[in-house]
Amino acid sequence: DVVLTQTPPTLSATIGQSVSISCRSSQSLLHSNGNTYLNWLLQRPGQPPQLLIYLVSRLESGVPNRFSGSGSGTDFTLKISGVEAEDLGVYYCVQSTHAPPTFGGGTKLELK
Amino acid sequence: EVQLVESGGGLVQPGRSLKLSCVASGFTFSNYGMNWIRQAPGKGLEWVAYISSGSSYIYYAETVKGRFTISRDNAKNTLYLQMTSLRSEDTALYYCARHPLFAYWGQGTLVTVSS
């Protein structure tokens, strides 16, 4: 199975600070159909996860554009340009290029 | 509006069985693969099982293989997870989520395995 390694496990930020989360895959996530099925989710306390970014860099409808995704192959990054209070929670990368789907271990974003 | 609603969770003794359901609405259920994902208290997300749109492809996490069975009824827009030989480590909030983007999740149903 594909292993997704997220770093850092915890991130402390002030409001307005820009932060990045890394997700590294044990194998390339480029699908034979040309898509790369690497998505980013945010789970706020007491809530189910919500999709932020799909196919590496596409912003899900309704998600603020301070969120952006980048990367290719095995290395991917989620960037938040100007953290807001509502962004606190746990961020997960998830891949569905290879069966079975797998999740990263999560990155908890806290207020400093 | 896409909705996924899980049910069937509860308190169950070790070694017993439980069957979870996930009713889908707002999209053509038969066109999408579906997943079960669980989250133990205070822990991260753990993928549990996947079933393709026509049930031809099924995968399980090693931790549940041989004990859990995923299935679906496209006529009823419903996904199932039959869980047998339950263990304390299966205690978790169980979510269903639509494949492949994980764009839609239910609110989850809580399974507690305890004597």
Side-chain angles (χ1 to χ4, degrees):
Chain A
D1 295 358
V2 173
V3 176
L4 297 181
T5 302
Q6 271 185 251
T7 54
T10 305
L11 200 47
S12 294
T14 56
I15 300 300
Q17 182 180 352
S18 292
V19 298
S20 293
I21 300 169
S22 169
C23 178
R24 289 189 169 174
S25 174
S26 60
Q27 55 185 280
S28 174
L29 298 183
L30 177 62
H31 194 277
S32 57
N33 66 10
N35 288 325
T36 298
Y37 294 92
L38 187 285
N39 310 319
W40 290 95
L41 310 172
L42 165 61
Q43 187 175 31
R44 296 186 176 96
Q47 296 295 315
Q50 69 166 105
L51 180 67
L52 299 175
I53 301 285
Y54 63 98
L55 298 177
V56 180
S57 60
R58 301 187 188 183
L59 196 65
E60 173 70 345
S61 176
V63 173
N65 60 12
R66 62 180 178 273
F67 291 94
S68 62
S70 63
S72 64
T74 60
D75 287 347
F76 304 92
T77 302
L78 174 71
K79 182 177 181 180
I80 310 172
S81 300
V83 168
E84 298 193 6
E86 65 181 23
D87 301 338
L88 303 184
V90 182
Y91 290 80
Y92 296 94
C93 55
V94 55
Q95 71 81 26
S96 52
T97 294
H98 302 287
T102 48
F103 291 86
T107 295
K108 186 175 184 180
L109 179 60
E110 302 174 326
L111 269 182
K112 189 182 292 183
Chain B
E1 178 193 7
V2 172
Q3 281 198 315
L4 297 170
V5 180
E6 303 95 338
S7 62
L11 174 62
V12 61
Q13 293 178 327
R16 303 298 291 265
S17 300
L18 207 58
K19 187 172 186 177
L20 307 183
S21 300
C22 167
V23 177
S25 61
F27 66 102
T28 305
F29 181 70
S30 58
N31 285 352
Y32 290 88
M34 295 293 296
N35 296 278
W36 285 102
I37 300 103
R38 68 185 181 184
Q39 188 168 37
K43 301 297 184 181
L45 301 172
E46 179 190 13
W47 171 82
V48 172
Y50 163 83
I51 186 168
S52 62
S53 57
S55 304
S56 296
Y57 299 96
I58 289 176
Y59 301 94
Y60 297 99
E62 286 297 324
T63 52
V64 307
K65 196 175 290 184
R67 300 187 299 121
F68 290 11
T69 302
I70 189 172
S71 62
R72 63 191 296 162
D73 185 336
N74 285 343
K76 295 183 177 180
N77 289 345
T78 303
L79 174 72
Y80 302 101
L81 186 68
Q82 176 70 56
M83 305 184 295
T84 64
S85 302
L86 282 162
R87 307 166 180 168
S88 58
E89 54 265 36
D90 296 319
T91 293
L93 187 61
Y94 284 73
Y95 296 103
C96 59
R98 198 177 84 174
H99 201 80
L101 300 183
F102 294 86
Y104 299 102
W105 296 66
Q107 291 295 315
T109 187
L110 182 62
V111 174
T112 303
V113 183
S114 175
S115 54

